Amino acid sequence: MKALICTAPNEARIEDRPMPRPADGEVLLRMRRVGICGTDYHIFDGSQPFFTYPRLIGHELAGEIVEAPRDSGLATGQIVTVNPYLACGTCVACRRGRPNCCSNIRVLGVHADGGMTEYLTVPAGSIVPTEGLTVDQAAMVEFLAIGAHAVRRAAIEPGTRVLVTGAGPIGIGCALFARIAGAVSVTLHDRSARRLATAAERFGFEAGVVAGPDATTELAERTDGEMFDYVFDATGSIQAMNAGLSHVAHAGTYVLIGLCRDDLVFADPEFHKRETTLLASRNALSVDFHHVVASIRNGAVPTDRFLTDRVALDDVPTAIPALIARQEQVLKAIVTI
């Protein structure tokens, strides 16, 4: 079978690999769609901090069940997505019901071989049914679950103001779920005016605020000087993450979704005078996947507005550099297998 292997930074190729056979408790999937996300771009360019080469990449997955355990409730031909976060089940985080931040987590496509291939085996417990969704929509559930998880972590109160920094797919997904949670206003903040315009045109958000020397003043003006009750960072940029505290209202919450290698540095007086709640948000939980599926099914999340590019598996090695070069124009690229 064909499989997309990232062998080193800036190097990827299609390899022929043996077809896998499911072990006890596993499901065999015929892969149909795989989304390409920022993590994959960072894997390709060498800036993903949790990655080792070589690796079969791909973690935004939609597949068709070929074989499933008899007692799993899953049926041959069923279209599903996959929760790609493989937890140990015994560590302190798992015991507390937080397998998304398992001490020994293995994420498909990052720590373990992923799904950009023709066939894949995964534990039956990782399967998320997607009845009522198209195969394209099923491949978008995972990245949307990341934003949904961050919003659930923040416990947004209805009628409050939200700022999302980073208007890529995860940031827009976060903004959509903040709106679903009852935020009275959701503002997007990004260094790219084009990305902000896309978010406004495709998803109905108000005009965003472009990062720059006057951005903090404009954000203050939009909130009568009070700033935002909830601020989410989905950039992975240490400069943006460090600057984000100044956008949090007193008694506000700051949620970091983005990941980078550098150190966070806050002025302690600024952090303390706000009595800021600081949260990290990593991956997602099963409840978030099911929330996303339900939100797509009921029309609250317009997935068709995310899809900008479609790529065949054989073309991925040459397509990824081109997609990286066009990141301002690309929302979601999906690989067809």
Side-chain angles (χ1 to χ4, degrees), residues 93-310:
C94 289
R95 296 197 307 271
R96 296 183 64 187
R98 304 268 291 277
N100 61 305
C101 59
C102 166
S103 302
N104 306 298
I105 199 165
R106 296 166 65 242
V107 180
L108 295 178
V110 181
H111 312 93
D113 280 347
M116 207 169 289
T117 181
E118 293 179 297
Y119 291 89
L120 177 69
T121 57
V122 297
S126 297
I127 295 293
V128 180
T130 58
E131 283 81 7
L133 273 59
T134 68
V135 68
D136 284 340
Q137 289 174 324
M140 297 190 206
V141 172
E142 190 273 342
F143 85 82
L144 289 166
I146 292 174
H149 180 72
V151 168
R152 194 169 57 81
R153 285 272 287 151
I156 288 177
E157 297 177 8
T160 49
R161 292 180 290 216
V162 169
L163 175 70
V164 179
T165 302
I170 289 176
I172 292 174
C174 178
L176 287 169
F177 282 97
R179 192 158 65 185
I180 290 169
V184 69
S185 70
V186 180
T187 301
L188 284 159
H189 177 42
D190 196 283
R191 63 185 180 185
S192 168
R194 184 164 188 166
R195 278 191 178 273
L196 292 171
T198 297
E201 293 162 8
R202 294 193 175 212
F203 300 96
F205 293 107
E206 62 181 284
V209 176
V210 180
D214 299 323
T216 298
T217 299
E218 184 175 349
L219 291 169
E221 289 172 352
R222 291 195 180 197
T223 57
D224 298 322
E226 292 182 339
M227 289 303 189
F228 296 85
D229 305 295
Y230 302 89
V231 176
F232 296 84
D233 182 277
T235 67
S237 160
I238 194 60
Q239 291 82 11
M241 293 161 74
N242 284 336
L245 178 63
S246 64
H247 304 149
V248 181
H250 282 240
T253 297
Y254 190 21
V255 185
L256 300 175
I257 309 171
L259 173 68
C260 69
R261 295 176 180 271
D262 303 296
D263 293 335
L264 284 165
V265 180
F266 295 145
D268 185 65
E270 294 299 318
F271 183 75
H272 264 83
K273 76 181 184 182
R274 291 167 169 78
E275 198 179 44
T276 308
T277 298
L278 179 64
L279 296 170
S281 182
R282 187 180 185 194
N283 301 326
L285 290 167
S286 178
V287 64
D288 303 308
F289 279 78
H290 290 290
H291 180 35
V292 170
V293 171
S295 299
I296 295 173
R297 190 184 293 127
N298 69 21
V301 177
T303 51
D304 58 310
R305 300 178 194 174
F306 280 98
L307 182 55
T308 54
D309 295 80
R310 194 181 294 280

Side-chain angles (χ1 to χ4, degrees), residues 29-30 63-66 68 72-81 127-131:
L29 295 175
R30 171 68 171 93
E64 178 182 343
I65 292 178
V66 178
S72 65
L74 302 170
T76 300
Q78 186 176 359
I79 299 299
V80 298
T81 190
I127 295 293
V128 180
T130 58
E131 283 81 7

